[in-house]
Amino acid sequence: AIGAWLGSDPSANEIEIASLESLIQQGLVDLAIVGSETLLRGDLNEGQLIGYIQRVKANANGVPVTTGEIYQNYINHPALVDVCDVIFVNIYPYWEGIKIDYAMYIFDLKFEELKNAVGSKEIIISETGWPSDGNTIVEAVPTPENGRYYLINFVSWAEVKNVKYFYFEAFDEP
């Protein structure tokens, strides 16, 4: 899975897209990810992001193309769902202030809501996790114990549901 980081600078975006396309042409990409949370940050609008995705798809030689976004942005932007070959989604109960005891319940609700919105498209969890340190957000408390609890429960959930995932991340960032 190789991504092109997109932001509000069109020149930097061009470099990222050209690099991704080059890697695809070299046969080094199994999944092309065009941007990460660009709608969430407001760096691009829906039309701009879709334009970049369509451009990469035109040169993808059958490699699936997607973007990484939070589940609400797929639900609120059906045209984005339509253009993506797979749905690459970030779901973080921690960032929503959910107490660890209810984190996987809420995660599963959001996943099922997204699944209903995207139909038969494969959903890959592109990011999820629970920090071991940092700021408490409403009822979401970052501790090593909560991080382990979330990891164990998430991996069990993913195995039962047969959902591919990337866990973010192995170590807390400074």
Side-chain angles (χ1 to χ4, degrees):
I2 304 293
W5 182 264
L6 299 180
S8 57
D9 178 351
S11 298
N13 292 347
E14 287 302 317
I15 292 167
E16 289 285 325
I17 294 295
S19 178
L20 178 58
E21 289 176 331
S22 174
L23 293 168
I24 290 169
Q25 297 309 313
Q26 294 173 55
L28 300 173
V29 179
D30 296 318
L31 176 63
I33 306 151
V34 181
S36 178
E37 297 184 343
T38 56
L39 295 180
L40 176 66
R41 289 189 315 275
D43 288 342
L44 299 175
N45 64 39
E46 179 188 56
Q48 292 168 315
L49 178 57
I50 287 172
Y52 282 118
I53 293 169
Q54 289 172 326
R55 178 172 152 195
V56 172
K57 283 182 78 163
N59 299 305
N61 297 333
V63 171
V65 179
T66 190
T67 190
E69 271 297 337
I70 60 172
Y71 67 93
Q72 299 100 318
N73 282 340
Y74 284 111
I75 291 167
N76 295 332
H77 297 273
L80 182 61
V81 171
D82 290 344
V83 76
C84 290
D85 296 319
V86 299
I87 304 302
F88 208 56
V89 63
N90 303 344
I91 304 175
Y92 283 104
Y94 168 79
W95 287 112
E96 294 189 37
I98 306 300
K99 187 175 181 177
I100 190 67
D101 299 342
Y102 305 110
M104 283 312 303
Y105 172 74
I106 297 299
F107 183 100
D108 187 59
L109 284 177
K110 301 304 180 185
F111 180 85
E112 290 300 324
E113 180 183 6
L114 178 62
K115 190 174 171 183
N116 289 333
V118 304
S120 62
K121 291 205 177 189
E122 180 183 18
I123 300 171
I124 299 172
I125 306 301
S126 49
E127 290 184 21
T128 195
W130 198 279
S132 61
D133 194 13
N135 297 323
T136 296
I137 299 174
V138 188
E139 294 188 84
V141 181
T143 66
E145 295 77 22
N146 286 350
R148 281 191 296 276
Y149 181 84
Y150 185 81
L151 172 65
I152 290 166
N153 284 281
F154 170 76
V155 171
S156 297
W157 175 91
E159 288 179 10
V160 167
K161 296 272 189 170
N162 196 30
V163 173
K164 296 175 188 170
Y165 64 89
F166 292 81
Y167 197 83
F168 191 81
E169 61 191 294
F171 303 97
D172 286 335
E173 294 181 39

